[in-house]
Structure formats: structure tokens, C-alpha cells
Amino acid sequence: MFTLIILDCINKLSLDRSISGIYHMLTGKKSVQSIQDAHIFQLTAYFGIYKRLDFAEFERIITVLEREQFIAVSDNYSAVLTDKGKQYVTDKQEILNQVGLKGLKYHRMSEQFLLRLQLFCQTATNLFAGNNSFLAITDNREVQLWVKHFYHETKPDLRKCLDEMYKELKIFLSQIDQRSAELFVDRLTGFKRIALSKEQLSKKYKKSIHEIEVQLTDIVHRLIAFILNNKQVTPFLVSFVDDLKSQMFLTDSASHTYRLYQKGLSIAEIASTRGLKQNTIQDHIIEISYIFPELILPSFLNKEAIETIKSAMNQTNSKRLKDIKALVGDNYSYFDIRLVVAVNQMDK
Amino acid sequence: MLEKYLEQYFGYPEFRPGQKEIISNVLDNKDVLGVLPTGSGKSICYQLPAKLLDGTVVVVSPLIALMVDQVKQLVATGFKEVVAINSFLDFEGRSDVLSNLSSYKLIYISPEMLQNKNVFQHLLRISVSLFVIDEAHCISQWGHEFRPDYLKLHEVIPLLGNPTVLALSATATPDVQKDIIHQLQVPKMKKLIFSMDRDNIAFKVEHCDDVTEKLTYLVDIIGKFPVPTLIYFTSRNWTEKVANILSEKVPEVSSAFYHGGMDQSERLLIQQQFMNGQLDVICCTSAFGMGINKNDVRLIIHFHLPTQIESFIQEVGRAGRDGQSSVSLVLTAPNDNMLPKNLIDAEFPTIGQIEMVCTYLSENDGVIISNDMLLERYQLSESQWRFLYYQLEKSGVIKDNRIVSNNIDLNKIAKQIQSFVNQRKIHKLNKFNDLEKWVHHKEQCRRDGLFSSFQAEVRKAKFMCCDKCDFTFEHWEPRYKSKQVKQGSWQDVLDELFFKGAYE
Ligand SMILES: [Zn+2]
């Protein structure tokens, strides 16, 4: 799956972006540029799905793909699929269609959600079995505090809670493929049963560590989507996600900008209030416009401007800002164009 | 009486040898030097007093990972007024902790943090009832792990209002014991020394022709004895390599590797699987073992030797804490000694590094020392720099973290440091040679050879003794229970986790 995802990225980006751009997107780094790319090239599913990926390791994977002639890398470090690569992606389209990743939507909350679930499972099962000395599987303080608090609420009827959690997990796991279900439960720690490490999973299923990482993320994203779409089926598990939803979309810095924007401050004013460059604030506005397109666009551009840029977009049929800019001329800034591009990608 | 508290707070029905004597002396306000073998529960000697004394117990420990582990374990058992202050604690966490310092009964602190003025100011404001120096042998240059920052501890004690002092070590020869008392400047310290030898562990050394033969022998033994086992290596690569070989050649035994380069939470899983009996064999570096509470480790194998007898004894001491028959096996091959020698070399700065740093100092009089910059610029490791820093401070070129190089002959100082490095290297090589001699000794009983420098009399073995006396693997019948965690379908696993179906 992981290799396939990289090939899919290369396929969609082709020569428009460098390979490092894929890395930034997968790790969710350099947010604004990457978020924008994710939208433009329809790669939002993969955004931030593998935060721990090491750059050197990523480069190694690229080298292997090149050596095996799935891709051809050009001098400016961008790449295209070879015929062999294209054939491979076509053959495996089925797998890509089944991918449940929703990176852009869930990448900020999925780790925290999973840790809550795992730590609660460990805590509740151990305490239920009468063992109150166990080492927490995570040091994350926020997660520990949350579980502590949640446990106190559920303590009066622990058995019922365990039953509920069991039931809801079982419903979800029955809906996904066997392998994924197995992988998911292998990562759960309970009473006298310690989860397998990723290294061990890699050996057990004869898959690379990267494959395991991405598959686990895939399952977690599917679980979150399942919970949010079937709240009546998963009344217990909803508590693990509900308060995380607000973190779903914006970076902290962008949401700060958003609050000031809502107060009516201009870009220049926000920049000076926050002591940041105007460019940075513009980046935030773009980020926000992906989420609240109807809110942002009209306050910056009038109908005519939007239409002009839109038709230039269609005319060039290119995703390069430079090409669009060449058509609309100096009447509009890059920022204007980025805004329109952002909002229009959302329409699709 | 004390037993009652031990049971109440820690759930142990009785003390291990030495614990009670040390604790009652400490509660009696007597300064104590306690030498207790590894695995005999040194930490109870201050954890129980922390529960019983008014005021706070401060423990200085150089082993940050161990510190963090212990705090976690204490919190897990319900002892919550405990904290570790070390460089891992971020700024926010630290100021949180410092502003509530008096609410803790037990504070672990690294020697570096003790030197931090801000931290120390806060410590001065609380009432310290007991000051513990863990791994006290670090204070002695003749101990196996000299830590220059330990030499300043004697200044701290009076500033804290002369609390009761407890120095603890698992491996201190009589010379080192004397040095500890001398350096701490606590003259009336009572020595409570308990025997280091573990009478339930038998010793064997197997001389192989090369690495391949080592591996063959290893695979054979692991196949014959699927007991809880630790295999020690000096490099991370080797732990991974051998764990893979074992998984392949002896698939019925579950093996994994463990080293400091792994992600912390993944490391914790491996450690807990081992404690839980899900894993039989762990291929590890010396990073594994500290803070491990597993009583039934039956076999300790050294695929590579550590650099000194003290470390070897500590690692072997992780076997058979339940008193049952256990074995230490050392595998050797020609040229094995290169690795430890390189390790010793790498501990100290090179001549070139010493000269470059001295040149830098002579050109930057009055400048404040930036550790990171110097580490980076001169490619110094932490331990190399710690060593160098201490030497420079001792010769007066660094004062209060500032360079004082005006009118100082740094050439001369560089030469002095260099000659000291040579001395230390020779000392360390001698220590390694002691271990080598033990390994290659023709007839001496292994237990006598190992323990006689630590204690006057070595006890008789409870089971078999060693390969020079009576030990053979053919006659070893270790007791162990193998707990295979079932690898069923995901439904089975889920049922088991949530006490459902057959697991109700
Ligand atoms: Zn013997």
C-alpha cells in the first residue's frame, strides 16, 4: 500500500512538484504549501498520514523505485511514472480504491484518538482484572489525563463499559478486511497481553515497517470515519473523538489568525498584531479558505475578479500558478489566484 | 514493624538481605554507605524511608532512563508524590515541578540538574530529610564509571542543611568504598556491605573459533533451553542481526531485540512483553535491564563482553532473582577484545580535540561556554566533553561556565590533560584485562575469580558452580514456565482482551 501511495502521488503530481513535496505532504510538514498541493492534486487522503517517516528513508524508497524502473527521476528532483509504473498503478487500482485514509481531515487527531483508545483499553482491562500496577503504554500527558478523567466517569460500571467497547469495536472490525482487523487488535494492550511492536508486526505479516505504519493509520482513519458517521451504533466510542473534532482542520497558528480575522482585522493588521510577515498571514488565509470557502473568498475578491481568474484557470488547464498569472496579468496578485484556486478545488 | 509498612506500601511480604539494616539505620539518622548486589532491591532502601520520613528524600542518580522507569513504576503502584528532574523534562514541565517541589516525598535528580542554579535554589527551600547518592561508585576515579560531577556532591550536603546521607552502590571494591566516604566528606559513615556473589548462578565460558561458531553454539543452547534469556551485545546492529537469526533458526522460541536507538514506546512494549512472559529471549545492549523487575530470568549470555568486571557482574545479576538455578554463559572468539578497546578509546577526547579546545579557550577569554557549539565544532561526544569540561574547570580555565584564559599557559594544560587521559585509559584497559584474565583463566573457579576482589569470602554455590568445578549444560534442569500468548483470529484476541466468550 505504501509504495502504491507514493506512486499514486508521483502520478498525480508528475513534473509539477519536486519529490520532496511528497515527503512534506506525507509527513504533514510545511503545512500551507503542502495543504494547497494536496488540494490541487487531489491528494488530500494522504496528507500527514506518516508523520514519523524519516527523510533519508524516504529518499531510499525513491531510489529503489527508480532502480526498479517504476519511476524516472529528473534533474530537478521531480519524477514521472514509467510505463511499468503506470501499469502497476492500474493493476492495483482496486487497492487504492479501498484505501480509507482521510489524511487532511484526520491527521491532527488520529494519533491522539488511537492513544486514548489503547490506553483506556489497557487501563480498564487491568483494573477490571484487579491489577492496578501496570506501566502505561504511552507517556503522552494529555492522553493520560484524558483517560484518567474518562475512567473516573466510567468506573461505576466498568463491566458495562468494557462490554460496550467490545461490542462497538467488533462491529467496526467485522466490516473491514481480516488482515486489518488482526493488525488492529495486535496493537491493543490488555491484562497480561502486551501489544506487538511495529517491528514485530512487520515480521509477523512479512511487510515493511512503512507498510505497517500506513496500514495502521488507514485503519484508524476508517475507525474515526465509522464512529462519526454511525454515532447511534457507537455511542461509547464517540466520546474518544468528539472533543478532538475541533482540532481537525486548522494549524494552531492559522486558527489564531482566523480568530483575528473574524474580529474584522485586515491582513496587514493581523500581521502587525502577531508580529508575523504578511506572507505568512496570507498563507493562513489560504489554509482557512479551504475549510470555509464561502466565508473567505467574497471578502477579498468581487465576482468579476473571481470569474476572470476562473476562466484563466480553465483556459490554461494548468495547475501552475505562474501560467494563470501570465494570463490574468498584473491586475491580480498571486494571493488572489491562490484563493480562487483553493476554493475551486473544493468544488470538485 | 518495618515489614508492615513494606507490605502496605509496596506489597512485598519481606525484606531482601540488607534492606532492613540499611533502612533502620537511615531512619535512625545515621549516614550509611550501603553496598548491595544488583537485583537485591537497592531502591527500596530510599523509597520506603520516603514514605516514612517527614520532609523530602532527594536521590541523585546518573541513570536518567532508570530514573524515569522507577518514577513510572512508583506511580503505577500508587506512590504519586514522586518526580524526576532531568534534562528530559521540558521547560514548562520543569517550572511546574519546581513551583510545587515541597509536595513531593521523593525527588530523583540528575547530577547536572543539581548543578543548575535555579533548580538548586528551589531545593534549598524545601526540607530534605535524606540525601541519597545512587550509583555512588561514580564518585571514584577508580570506580568503573567515574562521573566528574559527582565530585561536587560534598558541597551540596551542608547547603541542604546536613540531611542524613545514604550512598548506595552495587559494585564497589574496598578501595572504591574508601574513596566514596573520603570524597563525600561524611566521616562517620557506617559501612553496610553485603555479599556480591549470587550463589544460585553458575558460570560458563565457551571459547569459539570465530563468530560463526558462536552463533551455532548460541542457536543450539537457545533451542535446548527456551528459558527467559538476555543476550548482551556491544552494538545495536548485532542485537538486530542475532534476533533475526534466532527467529529464523529457533522459531518456537520468541525472540526480539532491544536497544537505545528504538522509539521509546516500542521499547516499552518489548520490555513489558518480556516481563509478561510473551517473549523468551531479548537480544540487547547494556541499555536493557536496569529497572527490570523480572524474577525468573534463567540465562544471561554475553555474546560480547562489557569493558569491566563490575558491568559484567551487574548484567549477570539480572538472572535468578527468585533464587532458582540460573546460568551465566560467556561466548568468546579470538580478536573479541578489539571492540572493548575501541569503546574505551572512544570515551576520552583525542589529543587533537584537546589541543583544539585549548586553542579555542586561549582565544576566547571571558566568553561563556556553549556546550552545544563545542560538541558540534570539535565532534565531541557527551562523555568526552564532560570529561574535558571537568579537567578544564579543575585547572581553572573555566569558572562558573565562563572562560578564564588570560595569562594561562594552555599548552601546558593541554599536556596535563593528555597525560591524565593516558592514565585513565591505562586504568580502564587494566580493568578490561582483569575480565579477560578471568575469561581465559586455566583452572581457577569462576566464582572465586569474579567475586574475591569484592568480598573476603565467596559463598559456596547453591546449585552447580562453574565450568571449572562441576557445571555442564547437560546437567542443568532449569525451572521455568512458558506462557505462550495465543495467536488466534482477531475475534479470539478481542474476546480475550475483553474477557468474553471462553475468557469470561
Ligand atoms: Zn567453581
Side-chain angles (χ1 to χ4, degrees):
Chain A
M1 187 153 100
F2 184 54
T3 317
L4 200 54
I5 286 174
I6 292 184
L7 291 175
D8 193 29
C9 290
I10 292 175
N11 195 19
K12 288 180 175 154
L13 286 175
S14 67
L15 292 169
D16 283 347
R17 290 288 184 277
S18 82
I19 298 175
S20 325
I22 300 178
Y23 173 77
H24 295 312
M25 197 156 56
L26 292 173
T27 52
K29 281 176 194 155
K30 295 205 171 164
S31 330
V32 181
Q33 172 74 44
S34 313
I35 289 178
Q36 206 171 341
D37 282 356
H39 279 292
I40 296 176
F41 299 101
Q42 287 155 33
L43 294 168
T44 49
Y46 307 145
F47 189 83
I49 57 167
Y50 191 176
K51 299 208 166 75
R52 266 182 286 264
L53 180 60
D54 180 60
F55 188 65
E57 187 58 23
F58 174 76
E59 282 185 307
R60 199 189 59 78
I61 297 168
I62 293 294
T63 313
V64 172
L65 287 174
E66 190 185 13
R67 190 174 348 112
E68 311 238 318
Q69 298 178 345
F70 282 104
I71 61 172
V73 179
S74 65
D75 292 341
N76 62 352
Y77 208 48
S78 59
V80 284
L81 295 193
T82 58
D83 289 341
K84 184 182 171 189
K86 278 185 188 145
Q87 189 57 47
Y88 183 79
V89 173
T90 315
D91 291 347
K92 305 265 172 171
Q93 192 59 41
E94 188 66 16
I95 297 178
L96 277 179
N97 293 343
Q98 280 168 11
V99 164
L101 291 166
K102 291 191 169 54
L104 195 62
K105 230 172 157 182
Y106 297 152
H107 78 104
R108 297 177 154 276
M109 63 191 286
S110 65
E111 168 130 359
Q112 199 140 4
F113 161 76
L114 182 63
L115 285 176
R116 283 178 176 188
L117 195 79
Q118 289 171 337
L119 183 61
F120 182 78
C121 178
Q122 181 190 27
T123 308
T125 53
N126 272 287
L127 293 176
F128 182 75
N131 174 29
N132 51 15
S133 78
F134 55 92
L135 295 185
I137 49 129
T138 174
D139 285 337
N140 186 315
R141 265 182 56 194
E142 253 175 88
V143 171
Q144 287 188 347
L145 285 174
W146 187 89
V147 168
K148 200 171 162 186
H149 180 77
F150 188 67
Y151 173 71
H152 272 283
E153 280 176 18
T154 52
K155 195 162 62 174
D157 205 346
L158 197 53
R159 173 84 241 192
K160 205 177 131 223
C161 278
L162 286 173
D163 288 351
E164 200 54 39
M165 189 170 176
Y166 169 80
K167 195 178 92 197
E168 294 177 16
L169 283 177
K170 198 162 181 177
I171 295 173
F172 165 70
L173 293 171
S174 311
Q175 303 200 341
I176 61 177
D177 59 294
Q178 294 272 336
R179 167 58 57 84
S180 297
E182 221 175 303
L183 208 55
F184 183 82
V185 297
D186 278 344
R187 284 294 277 177
L188 290 179
T189 292
F191 174 61
K192 298 221 163 157
R193 180 177 188 105
I194 310 294
L196 295 185
S197 71
K198 288 171 189 163
E199 177 73 36
Q200 290 172 319
L201 290 174
S202 149
K203 266 188 204 154
K204 180 176 170 187
Y205 296 107
K206 303 197 169 48
K207 297 273 186 195
S208 73
I209 281 273
H210 308 302
E211 196 62 36
I212 297 289
E213 288 268 7
V214 171
Q215 281 190 21
L216 286 169
T217 310
D218 180 63
I219 302 166
V220 175
H221 286 191
R222 281 199 257 177
L223 177 54
I224 296 174
F226 182 79
I227 294 170
L228 292 177
N229 295 330
N230 301 279
K231 288 187 183 170
Q232 66 294 350
V233 185
T234 56
F236 182 76
L237 290 176
V238 162
S239 333
F240 288 77
V241 216
D242 244 0
D243 63 310
L244 292 175
K245 274 190 305 189
S246 60
Q247 301 179 19
M248 234 150 85
F249 300 113
L250 292 176
T251 55
D252 294 342
S253 190
S255 50
H256 190 180
T257 293
Y258 184 49
R259 282 195 296 277
L260 295 175
Y261 170 79
Q262 280 175 312
K263 284 187 189 159
L265 272 65
S266 71
I267 289 184
E269 285 164 343
I270 298 174
S272 75
T273 309
R274 298 199 54 193
L276 294 172
K277 285 188 185 145
Q278 289 207 26
N279 273 341
T280 312
I281 304 300
Q282 287 185 347
D283 283 348
H284 291 162
I285 298 290
I286 301 285
E287 195 184 330
I288 298 162
S289 71
Y290 277 113
I291 293 149
F292 309 109
E294 68 294 342
L295 247 166
I296 300 287
L297 196 55
S299 62
F300 285 96
L301 293 169
N302 59 28
K303 265 216 165 91
E304 190 200 331
I306 297 171
E307 283 313 313
T308 314
I309 297 173
K310 249 187 176 173
S311 70
M313 265 173 73
N314 294 333
Q315 218 175 313
T316 59
N317 203 17
S318 158
K319 285 159 185 166
R320 286 171 189 255
L321 298 176
K322 220 198 231 162
D323 298 343
I324 304 171
K325 178 88 164 99
L327 271 179
V328 297
D330 288 338
N331 291 332
Y332 303 102
S333 67
Y334 273 107
F335 174 63
D336 298 338
I337 298 169
R338 283 168 71 197
L339 264 179
V340 176
V341 170
V343 173
N344 275 287
Q345 285 303 320
M346 292 305 289
D347 292 345
K348 286 184 183 170
Chain B
M1 196 56 197
L2 279 176
E3 278 85 355
K4 198 189 91 196
Y5 291 120
L6 183 71
E7 169 99 54
Q8 179 185 342
Y9 292 125
F10 298 95
Y12 301 127
E14 56 187 26
F15 285 105
R16 298 235 181 102
Q19 287 175 336
K20 192 174 177 181
E21 230 175 314
I22 292 177
I23 292 172
S24 39
N25 271 285
V26 162
L27 291 178
D28 237 9
N29 297 324
K30 296 218 174 69
D31 299 326
V32 172
L33 165 62
V35 179
L36 279 170
T38 315
S40 54
K42 266 192 303 165
S43 48
I44 285 292
C45 297
Y46 50 80
Q47 287 170 351
L48 187 59
K51 274 285 181 191
L52 300 177
L53 289 166
D54 292 332
T56 302
V57 173
V58 173
V59 181
V60 185
S61 168
L63 307 168
I64 293 181
L66 180 65
M67 216 190 261
V68 173
D69 268 9
Q70 287 204 354
V71 169
K72 254 198 220 159
Q73 273 165 17
L74 286 173
V75 171
T77 54
F79 189 161
K80 308 248 190 268
E81 308 99 329
V82 54
V83 71
I85 304 176
N86 54 49
S87 46
F88 281 175
L89 208 58
D90 59 25
F91 183 76
E92 219 171 282
R94 198 192 296 170
S95 55
D96 256 15
V97 165
L98 289 180
S99 52
N100 293 308
L101 212 54
S102 58
S103 66
Y104 297 104
K105 298 292 288 173
L106 179 56
I107 298 172
Y108 287 88
I109 189 165
S110 63
E112 295 93 325
M113 277 295 138
L114 203 55
Q115 301 297 327
N116 178 304
K117 281 205 177 107
N118 181 31
V119 173
F120 194 67
Q121 285 305 319
H122 280 88
L123 267 184
L124 289 179
R125 283 186 218 134
I126 62 169
S127 140
V128 178
S129 48
L130 175 62
F131 187 71
V132 183
I133 299 115
D134 205 3
E135 313 296 329
H137 50 263
C138 292
I139 207 171
S140 169
Q141 305 200 22
W142 314 116
H144 61 291
E145 251 158 314
F146 176 50
R147 298 271 309 212
D149 33 20
Y150 260 50
L151 286 175
K152 294 178 188 158
L153 290 179
H154 72 270
E155 297 167 6
V156 171
I157 298 168
L159 291 175
L160 289 175
N162 286 310
T164 311
V165 176
L166 169 61
L168 287 169
S169 172
T171 45
T173 57
D175 285 349
V176 174
Q177 293 165 18
K178 226 183 275 166
D179 208 14
I180 293 172
I181 296 177
H182 170 73
Q183 297 290 356
L184 283 177
Q185 304 182 10
V186 184
K188 282 192 192 143
M189 213 166 209
K190 195 166 168 182
K191 284 210 261 176
L192 297 173
I193 315 297
F194 298 89
S195 56
M196 301 267 311
D197 58 340
R198 298 281 306 280
D199 59 1
N200 60 323
I201 302 177
F203 293 86
K204 172 164 175 67
V205 178
E206 181 68 25
H207 299 288
C208 304
D209 284 341
D210 52 28
V211 173
T212 322
E213 206 183 303
K214 268 192 188 183
L215 285 169
T216 316
Y217 191 85
L218 181 70
V219 166
D220 180 56
I221 289 292
I222 297 294
K224 279 184 186 145
F225 300 99
V227 295
T229 301
L230 295 177
I231 311 178
Y232 280 98
F233 300 85
T234 41
S235 87
R236 293 173 179 180
N237 272 343
W238 270 101
T239 65
E240 300 194 7
K241 201 158 128 187
V242 175
N244 286 335
I245 293 175
L246 288 175
S247 310
E248 194 185 308
K249 299 247 164 100
V250 207
E252 67 277 16
V253 173
S254 51
S255 328
F257 60 85
Y258 179 107
H259 57 64
M262 290 158 66
D263 185 67
Q264 151 115 40
S265 54
E266 300 287 295
R267 225 162 40 181
L268 194 71
L269 289 181
I270 299 296
Q271 187 181 313
Q272 295 200 63
Q273 286 174 15
F274 187 60
M275 295 212 260
N276 190 37
Q278 269 168 260
L279 270 176
D280 304 309
V281 177
I282 294 198
C283 300
C284 55
T285 58
S286 57
F288 189 85
M290 294 182 301
I292 290 287
N293 263 326
K294 189 171 169 65
N295 285 328
D296 60 350
V297 179
R298 289 282 162 266
L299 182 56
I300 304 278
I301 300 176
H302 280 88
F303 197 89
H304 297 135
L305 278 177
T307 54
Q308 60 234 320
I309 285 188
E310 283 90 338
S311 313
F312 179 75
I313 291 178
Q314 280 203 348
E315 285 161 11
V316 166
R318 288 173 189 136
R321 291 186 182 178
D322 57 2
Q324 299 290 334
S325 169
S326 308
V327 170
S328 149
L329 167 66
V330 175
L331 300 174
T332 70
N335 298 325
D336 257 7
N337 53 12
M338 289 314 292
L339 213 58
K341 284 181 179 159
N342 291 340
L343 285 177
I344 291 172
D345 264 344
E347 262 177 63
F348 300 98
T350 62
I351 305 180
Q353 285 169 323
I354 296 172
E355 281 171 352
M356 282 189 293
V357 170
C358 284
T359 310
Y360 169 82
L361 296 178
S362 69
E363 289 163 357
N364 288 279
D365 183 41
V367 171
I368 290 177
I369 294 281
S370 152
N371 291 335
D372 292 342
M373 186 274 278
L374 289 166
L375 286 181
E376 169 81 28
R377 185 188 284 185
Y378 301 111
Q379 296 294 303
L380 291 156
S381 71
E382 296 262 348
S383 71
Q384 289 171 333
W385 173 236
R386 209 164 40 222
F387 175 89
L388 204 50
Y389 188 96
Y390 171 69
Q391 296 304 326
L392 292 164
E393 222 178 19
K394 212 170 71 175
S395 42
V397 196
I398 298 177
K399 256 188 207 131
D400 293 329
N401 214 30
R402 194 180 283 276
I403 301 170
V404 189
S405 59
N406 213 4
N407 293 326
I408 287 187
D409 182 358
L410 272 151
N411 271 330
K412 199 173 136 203
I413 288 175
K415 286 209 181 78
Q416 281 167 0
I417 294 179
Q418 182 53 40
S419 94
F420 188 62
V421 166
N422 289 338
Q423 249 182 64
R424 295 287 303 152
K425 273 192 195 167
I426 290 170
H427 171 70
K428 290 231 159 185
L429 283 174
N430 283 337
K431 300 212 70 151
F432 177 65
N433 286 338
D434 289 345
L435 186 54
E436 284 254 279
K437 257 187 230 151
W438 176 79
V439 164
H440 294 288
H441 206 286
K442 289 279 181 294
E443 66 272 341
Q444 189 190 30
C445 166
R446 302 257 182 224
R447 315 173 63 77
D448 284 346
L450 208 53
F451 296 114
S452 54
S453 60
F454 294 96
Q455 59 198 71
E457 207 170 305
V458 180
R459 287 179 294 173
K460 257 192 70 178
K462 195 163 143 195
F463 304 99
M464 285 181 279
C465 178
C466 69
D467 53 356
K468 300 291 177 196
C469 299
D470 55 358
F471 178 83
T472 58
F473 270 115
E474 284 74 39
H475 292 113
W476 189 41
E477 287 169 6
R479 259 209 230 167
Y480 68 99
K481 45 176 194 293
S482 178
K483 177 186 171 274
Q484 278 298 315
V485 167
K486 276 181 231 72
Q487 296 294 346
S489 65
W490 67 262
Q491 287 96 337
D492 285 342
V493 176
L494 203 65
D495 282 355
E496 189 190 335
L497 274 167
F498 289 91
F499 315 103
K500 286 291 188 178
Y503 304 95
E504 211 153 349

